[in-house]
Amino acid sequence: MMRRTNWKVSPSTWDCIFRLFLGLLAFIPLRLAAQDSEPYVSADGSVTFTLHAPGAKKARLILGDRKYKMEQQGDNFTYHTVPLSPEMYTYEYVVDGRVMADPKNSRVTRDVEKRLNYFFVAGGMADHYVDKDIPHGTLSKVWYPSTLNGMSQRRLCVYTPPGYDDHPEEFYPVLYLLHGSGGDETTWADGGRVCQILDDLIHTDSIKPLVVVMPNGNIELDAAPGESPYMDKLPSGNNVNSMVGKFEKLFVKEIVGFTEKNYRVRKDKAHRAIAGLSMGGLHALFISLNHPQLFDYVGLFSAQTSNMLTEQRIYKIERFNYNRQRIRNIAALIGDRIPAPISLSDKLSCLDIYENIEQKLAQQFSPAPRLYYMAIGRDDFLNKMNSQYRSLLASHGYPYTFVSSEGGHSWENWRRYLVDFLQRIFYP
């Protein structure tokens, strides 16, 4: 016969158990923080990467656009960098030929179709990019009615500054901020760290509070990939269809119109700015050029300053993409998969937005915008195109501000340009 034992726990014992439980709870976030701290950044800015990959034969680190061989120590692979300058860095691993993310780092950003881990080397410009315990603005993802490319609605992101909802009587200046080829409405908030930058500059009184509108300039997608209930399509860096004038033609009517109807923004030229990177620079250049009465501040970051896509070139590119997709669809049918719809564009009538540039410049610079800002890296592949455009401006005596920096076509530069541009706009 089993004897039943009644266990009694003293209050002091319960107190010990409770303290132990609290200690375990405190230990869990510490462990998560330790995982999130990978890779390890030393005080001098050098960085140690450690990857646990049992059974792997070799591993490489891709840091930015450079590859480094990692040293193997049993099941671990390591690489130690030289001291790096303060910045936000992206990276990934290649293990036995297979690209993989860092399993110890939950910080992930997207660049076109790729998802990359990231980390910060503190100090300098990077201090604008990190999350801080300061008042934060609000980033809203909003659907707006649109007829672009046969759609009924599209999505954009809107940053409203801290205190926007608390002061319904206040109206704000507005910046329309455009992404590059392969990007979408989330790109500036993701890789560009625009919310952290704005929060920081507003908090330190470096800029006036403003509204920032970030539309999706990829006319093939209504929203960021994976975030649309209407279509499932991956972005492409070769975004030719978004450079045929369609986006620029409808920008003022649909995006500016929606913004001014639904947000408390100032509706005069002196309180409107437009800026963009790469393809977004192309869009910003020609939107402002075709609407000289609207924007007093124009920012071109590593911009494509000339649209060299004639109707003939566009047709050739689309014919190539059409035939390539046909081959892919044949392979899909063989593999019992659903083929993707394909078509050739028959709407090239919007190309006139890129024509008569000198006549339009004469209107835009009479009078000149308060700020016409151009910035590009010395190693950027668009440098020659930018130089030619600056020569055109100079030949007519049109004033502009030019910033030349180290590096190339990269987020390291675009974030820096944005910080600089923001501190130059909406001031007397």
Side-chain angles (χ1 to χ4, degrees), residues 156-213:
L156 49 75
C157 287
V158 181
Y159 171 93
T160 50
Y164 178 88
D165 293 328
D166 299 329
H167 302 283
E169 76 288 349
E170 189 168 351
F171 282 70
Y172 297 84
V174 57
L175 165 64
Y176 295 91
L177 188 59
L178 314 181
H179 62 78
S181 181
D184 52 66
E185 75 279 10
T186 66
T187 300
W188 268 109
D190 194 4
R193 306 295 287 181
V194 69
C195 296
Q196 289 80 4
I197 290 171
L198 290 164
D199 289 345
D200 183 62
L201 294 178
I202 292 172
H203 181 67
T204 58
D205 291 326
S206 300
I207 63 172
K208 294 181 178 180
L210 74 161
V211 171
V212 179
V213 178

Side-chain angles (χ1 to χ4, degrees), residues 74-99:
D75 289 337
N76 291 329
F77 292 84
T78 61
Y79 184 80
H80 188 74
T81 73
V82 298
L84 303 178
S85 59
E87 188 49 83
M88 172 181 170
Y89 293 90
T90 58
Y91 71 100
E92 59 187 344
Y93 296 120
V94 180
V95 180
D96 291 340
R98 181 174 62 90
V99 177

Side-chain angles (χ1 to χ4, degrees), residues 14 52 343 390:
W14 278 118
H52 185 65
S343 64
R390 294 199 314 274

Side-chain angles (χ1 to χ4, degrees), residues 99-136:
V99 177
M100 65 174 290
D102 186 345
K104 290 186 177 181
N105 189 352
S106 63
R107 300 185 182 95
V108 179
T109 185
R110 182 171 59 84
D111 187 16
V112 191
E113 79 285 359
K114 298 176 68 175
R115 294 188 176 275
L116 304 168
N117 293 112
Y118 68 90
F119 65 94
F120 298 99
V121 175
M125 292 298 296
D127 286 347
H128 295 298
Y129 312 149
V130 297
D131 293 299
K132 296 180 180 179
D133 186 16
I134 58 177
H136 298 297

Side-chain angles (χ1 to χ4, degrees), residues 254-290:
E254 294 190 351
I255 295 172
V256 175
F258 176 84
T259 300
E260 295 187 348
K261 181 179 179 181
N262 292 277
Y263 291 89
R264 300 194 315 275
V265 296
R266 305 283 292 271
K267 300 179 183 180
D268 59 317
K269 180 178 180 178
H271 293 92
R272 287 195 203 96
I274 187 168
L277 71 89
S278 195
M279 181 188 76
L282 176 80
H283 289 164
L285 190 161
F286 284 97
I287 290 169
S288 64
L289 186 67
N290 283 271

